[in-house]
Amino acid sequence: MAEIRQGINGMDCLELVHQSGARLVIYLQGAHATAWRDAHGNDILFMSEKSSFKSGHPIRGGIPVVFPQFGDGLLPKHGFARINQWKYLGADSSDACAMSAFELTDSEETRRLWPHTFRVEMEFRLRSEELEIVFTVENTGAEAFEFQNGLHTYFAVGDISGVSVSGLHGAEYVDFLRDAAKRRDIRPAVVFDRETDRVYPYAPDELVIRGAASGRAIKIVKHNMNDVVIWNPWIEKARRMPDFGDDEYKRMVCVETGNLHAPLVLPKGAIHTSAALFRIEGVRQAPC
Ligand code: BG6
């Protein structure tokens, strides 16, 4: 059984270990996966060496959880879920996978920022070459609310200049670095030679990242997550970010999946479930 231990700066975390040797570290702040190592010892997620790991501050790298707001707005950027302490619900393991689940519910503090009652659950399912994350949002209140949710995943790459993200050919996007106009991506794959920050609304459900640090491709399959955001800060923005090394933009790409472009409406008592599967390509996995 996985047990809570103290991680960096004494922050509580859990290490999930699959029998294949694959490992996943999840911090209770934000139900934030900070490290995922596959069965061959490859690091799949990027984590900044400058991340502060300070209670109440976002962790720079891994898989930040976005809820109930994406980007800037009335709430803290990307929502309050990533800077709140979640409750550990438990872990389980079978031959096929190691699982753990975490929950965040409204508190006096969240209701002060966002006047709604809710329950959010993150479930992590780790297999030898796969990580599946199920994201459940429940409206436990008496009125409908609007929300955005997603996984702001930082993937570790060998060198950003050799990275491509395919699956978005022909898809519409909005470039956050330009105006709000919708453009169509005519390139066979997204490649990186400058700051990139764009949302693809209603993007295809399957994407492939080539050029990952492991030397293998990573397939992303999303479910009930409408949108994809692709982000790399490049040189100037990297320099402006205090919790990110000047050269670290070369070793990461964020491929974010979620309901990030337009908020969804969740009626009272309703439950919304979405999921993302990250698969290191080339190995077949048994379902669990
Ligand atoms: C991306 C946004 O999702 O997150 C970028 O599109 C932003 O504009 C990036 O810079 C990182 O955000 P933060 O709050 O974690 O620094």
Side-chain angles (χ1 to χ4, degrees), residues 180-207:
K182 279 211 174 112
R183 297 178 163 82
R184 197 168 289 281
D185 204 331
I186 52 166
R187 298 175 296 178
V190 180
V191 291
F192 301 86
D193 60 3
R194 68 195 68 184
E195 183 178 355
T196 304
D197 193 358
R198 41 171 73 178
V199 60
Y200 291 77
Y202 299 100
D205 281 338
E206 293 195 12
L207 309 173

Side-chain angles (χ1 to χ4, degrees), residues 78-96:
H78 296 327
F80 49 68
R82 67 175 177 168
I83 49 173
N84 263 265
Q85 198 71 5
W86 290 50
K87 183 176 165 196
Y88 171 46
L89 295 179
D92 201 0
S93 72
S94 68
D95 289 354

